[in-house]
Amino acid sequence: MGHSRAEKAESRRRILDAAATRIREVGLDGVSVNELMQSANLTHGGFYGHFESRSHLMVAALEQALADGETASAAHTGKRGSITVKSIVNSYLSPAHRDNPATGCAIPTLGGEIGRADPEIRAVMAEQLRRSFKTMEEALGQTGPDAKQFAVAAWSMMVGAMMISRVMADDSEADRVLALARKSVLDLAETYG
Amino acid sequence: MGHSRAEKAESRRRILDAAATRIREVGLDGVSVNELMQSANLTHGGFYGHFESRSHLMVAALEQALADGETASAAHTGKRGSITVKSIVNSYLSPAHRDNPATGCAIPTLGGEIGRADPEIRAVMAEQLRRSFKTMEEALGQTGPDAKQFAVAAWSMMVGAMMISRVMADDSEADRVLALARKSVLDLAETYG
DNA sequence: TGTACATCAGTGAACGCGCGTTCACTGATGTAC
DNA sequence: TGTACATCAGTGAACGCGCGTTCACTGATGTAC
């Protein structure tokens, strides 16, 4: 059980990875320092050697969760061929994404909580939203006000439908919400594209 | 400072009202029993004379918050004349609604949290969603698969856009999200209506 | 109408618990000679 | 290459705090006679 200096960065990474995953499962408020340290095979006291405070970790963890979620999405959509509206929507509004929040997009999971958080935390997610809008405009293959409107509408619908689908207990009802939202985003893409 | 038997129901109502308001401001996890009792001008010990446990209160508070939010919306849209898609959307996606979560719709505020809550809590919101879908179909003045698709798409977009708008720090950016989503819901209504 | 008693809404001290954070320490790693 | 020392990642006890919940109690209200 060594703890060389080179391994410190590795420990930090394990804490941050656990945090980025856990906050998507249980929310920012649902994670304790002790729990994260244990899942990184460390004891709670060492935490402050890696992060200034719990809230500093949360900022970093949210950044990573949002980046992870985007990468996971891009990995699905991007393999062989370019990103299209259809590939984004099919990947995003899939039952697999709904059933695996820990590796998915943090926006439907944490958005409500973050809407009432510190400006610093909100800024992290706001920045991701701007990037997401831009990606959607590029996927539409257009620029201008209509493309912007589509990007905002599509993302609003996707995060809303994902949140709603996760609330629904009945599986077929939850699946139907995803399917109908998917169709509607594509209908909108035709209208604006 | 009397506490007659007739006043007990009044105390319960005050606790429940405070809870229904507060959960929309700070989330289900953000409210403590002690805080609620104080805002009802009572001490914490008396809580269990009114509710079996904190989580029992939360179920009742969520029910009331959802009913309140719907009533508030209907009050705006319904005055003089019937409910239309336009009247719902204009009221829901207004900056006033965004800036007053305590009296507004609980879905964008609490949806993420509730997606990972007990089945009992999820069922309460799922039921409200079904009612909301139905109201939207009626507002569209149609029935059938297209009306259902529109209802799901419109609600997904509205709750998503509200959540996103609350994350945005910049006011004009946040307002623009609402305005663009509003336009898109109305565009969809034309497509399906 | 006036007194004695029962009811019960609300009080506040106490419980065990987990939280974020601090800090004196341990002991393996890396360095100097 | 081998020994002495410095560094510092990680440990674990302890802190003050607020949480949900329990419970013996108080005292105003309502009832019986």
Side-chain angles (χ1 to χ4, degrees):
Chain A
M1 185 128 309
H3 39 260
S4 71
R5 279 134 220 194
E7 282 163 0
K8 189 181 182 185
E10 170 69 14
S11 291
R12 190 192 140 98
R13 201 192 49 73
R14 286 209 310 279
I15 299 165
L16 192 51
D17 281 356
T21 300
R22 268 315 259 170
I23 60 174
R24 282 177 282 180
E25 286 174 350
V26 295
L28 292 167
D29 287 355
V31 180
S32 77
V33 168
N34 186 42
E35 179 209 326
L36 292 174
M37 292 303 279
Q38 277 183 246
S39 70
N41 289 317
L42 295 166
T43 52
H44 64 274
F47 177 78
Y48 298 87
H50 296 284
F51 298 94
E52 202 181 311
S53 69
R54 184 184 182 282
S55 67
H56 279 79
L57 167 64
M58 286 300 140
V59 173
L62 177 61
E63 273 167 356
Q64 179 161 324
L66 288 163
D68 279 3
E70 200 176 16
T71 306
S73 185
H76 280 125
T77 65
K79 58 171 90 149
R80 218 86 217 133
S82 60
I83 296 175
T84 63
V85 171
K86 196 168 184 174
S87 71
I88 294 175
V89 171
N90 283 342
S91 164
Y92 197 96
L93 292 176
S94 66
H97 183 198
R98 179 196 57 217
D99 296 338
N100 295 283
T103 55
C105 178
I107 300 170
T109 309
L110 302 177
E113 203 176 342
I114 284 166
R116 46 186 133 86
D118 309 344
E120 193 184 0
I121 280 276
R122 286 167 61 200
V124 171
M125 187 172 276
E127 194 51 53
Q128 176 61 46
L129 283 163
R130 277 180 220 111
R131 275 193 297 271
S132 299
F133 291 161
K134 198 168 182 193
T135 303
M136 189 63 79
E137 288 183 64
E138 285 166 8
L140 188 67
Q142 271 191 240
T143 50
D146 276 9
K148 175 75 180 178
Q149 181 179 337
F150 171 73
V152 169
W155 274 107
S156 295
M157 190 131 77
M158 293 200 302
V159 304
M162 182 54 64
M163 192 167 69
I164 287 171
S165 185
R166 284 179 176 147
V167 170
M168 296 290 189
D170 181 68
D171 281 355
S172 71
E173 206 178 5
D175 285 355
R176 196 144 64 104
V177 168
L178 295 185
L180 292 178
R182 208 185 304 142
K183 262 192 85 190
S184 294
V185 175
L186 297 177
D187 286 350
L188 270 181
E190 273 186 34
T191 305
Y192 298 129
Chain B
M1 184 128 308
H3 40 260
S4 71
R5 279 133 220 195
E7 282 164 359
K8 189 180 182 184
E10 171 68 14
S11 290
R12 190 192 139 98
R13 201 191 50 72
R14 286 210 310 280
I15 299 166
L16 193 51
D17 281 356
T21 301
R22 271 311 262 172
I23 60 174
R24 283 176 281 179
E25 286 174 351
V26 296
L28 292 167
D29 288 354
V31 180
S32 77
V33 167
N34 185 42
E35 179 210 326
L36 292 174
M37 291 303 279
Q38 277 183 246
S39 70
N41 289 315
L42 296 166
T43 53
H44 63 275
F47 178 77
Y48 297 87
H50 295 284
F51 298 94
E52 200 180 313
S53 69
R54 184 185 182 282
S55 68
H56 279 78
L57 167 63
M58 286 300 140
V59 172
L62 177 60
E63 273 167 357
Q64 178 160 324
L66 288 162
D68 279 1
E70 200 178 15
T71 305
S73 186
H76 279 126
T77 64
K79 59 170 94 152
R80 217 88 217 131
S82 60
I83 294 176
T84 62
V85 171
K86 197 168 183 174
S87 72
I88 294 175
V89 171
N90 282 343
S91 164
Y92 197 96
L93 292 177
S94 66
H97 183 198
R98 179 196 58 218
D99 296 338
N100 295 284
T103 54
C105 178
I107 302 171
T109 309
L110 302 177
E113 204 176 340
I114 284 168
R116 46 185 133 88
D118 311 344
E120 193 183 359
I121 281 277
R122 286 167 60 200
V124 171
M125 187 171 277
E127 195 50 53
Q128 177 60 47
L129 283 163
R130 277 179 221 112
R131 275 194 296 272
S132 298
F133 291 162
K134 198 167 184 195
T135 303
M136 189 64 80
E137 287 182 66
E138 285 165 10
L140 188 66
Q142 270 193 240
T143 51
D146 276 9
K148 173 76 179 177
Q149 181 178 337
F150 171 73
V152 169
W155 274 108
S156 295
M157 191 132 75
M158 291 199 303
V159 304
M162 184 52 65
M163 191 167 69
I164 288 170
S165 185
R166 284 180 176 146
V167 169
M168 297 292 190
D170 181 67
D171 280 355
S172 71
E173 206 178 5
D175 285 355
R176 196 144 64 102
V177 168
L178 296 184
L180 293 178
R182 208 185 304 144
K183 263 193 83 191
S184 294
V185 175
L186 297 177
D187 287 350
L188 270 181
E190 274 187 35
T191 305
Y192 299 127

